[in-house]
Amino acid sequence: FYFVYMMLAKMGKRFLSKGDGYFVTANDDEIILTLYNYHHFSEAYAKEVGIFTSYTDRYSIFPDKAGKLFKFDFPELSGNFIVKSVYVNQKHGSAYDEFVRMGAVEPLYPEETKWLNDVSKPRLKKEIVSASPLSLSISLAPFEVRQVAIKKLS
């Protein structure tokens, strides 16, 4: 959750819009998209009816896991832009998922805890996009949270 809170703290000062799974904000020189792909746990799990999670399986209680595609069109924006994405999902930024991939064996020794801290970082992707007008398609994995900052190049 720490990395998601960091993203929330970096949202723009001006609110532009919101929708199912996204917020669009802005600062003086950039537009910031904050996207999330939320999935609710199953009704049976909520009622504690015959569904249990294990120490290494926290995702089976979510019945309809699917990716989500977002499309944003900015008809008033044309030119060259730096588009920077920071995201957290099961492959990037999740200490729990890294722990499971490493075998989920306890106890964790200090060097293993340090290793988990070192590898459990959000993914960062930065690219230059030339468009007239600017249009972005962004695909999120289940449970992913992503922040995209769009800044026009001078």
Side-chain angles (χ1 to χ4, degrees):
F1 292 114
Y2 172 78
F3 298 122
V4 174
Y5 287 127
M6 294 291 293
M7 289 180 200
L8 292 174
K10 292 181 180 183
M11 290 176 73
K13 303 296 183 213
R14 285 190 329 268
F15 174 81
L16 300 179
S17 69
K18 69 177 180 175
D20 182 24
Y22 73 90
F23 295 95
V24 181
T25 59
N27 287 323
D28 292 337
D29 62 345
E30 68 183 347
I31 295 173
I32 301 164
L33 312 173
T34 304
L35 316 168
Y36 57 93
N37 188 2
Y38 173 77
H39 293 277
H40 198 67
F41 48 80
S42 72
E43 186 102 9
Y45 178 76
K47 294 177 181 176
E48 298 181 16
V49 179
I51 296 179
F52 302 97
T53 60
S54 72
Y55 190 59
T56 58
D57 177 21
R58 300 286 187 220
Y59 298 110
S60 62
I61 62 170
F62 300 94
D64 299 318
K65 300 178 287 286
K68 189 169 191 173
L69 179 65
F70 294 89
K71 183 151 176 53
F72 295 94
D73 294 312
F74 300 96
E76 70 284 359
L77 297 178
S78 293
N80 298 316
F81 302 88
I82 291 180
V83 178
K84 181 173 86 171
S85 297
V86 176
Y87 53 97
V88 176
N89 57 28
Q90 289 176 266
K91 293 181 182 176
H92 305 287
S94 170
Y96 166 76
D97 290 299
E98 285 296 340
F99 174 69
V100 170
R101 281 191 285 275
M102 73 181 251
V105 176
E106 292 192 275
L108 280 179
Y109 297 104
E111 67 273 8
E112 295 164 341
T113 301
K114 182 184 179 322
W115 181 83
L116 276 173
N117 286 331
D118 290 345
V119 299
S120 300
K121 304 288 185 210
R123 180 72 181 213
L124 173 69
K125 181 181 178 188
K126 193 172 178 181
E127 59 187 322
I128 294 177
V129 174
S130 297
S132 181
L134 180 62
S135 180
L136 298 174
S137 292
I138 303 165
S139 181
L140 267 59
F143 311 108
E144 183 172 324
V145 178
R146 181 180 299 224
Q147 191 163 65
V148 180
I150 305 162
K151 186 180 272 194
K152 187 167 175 107
L153 287 172
S154 329

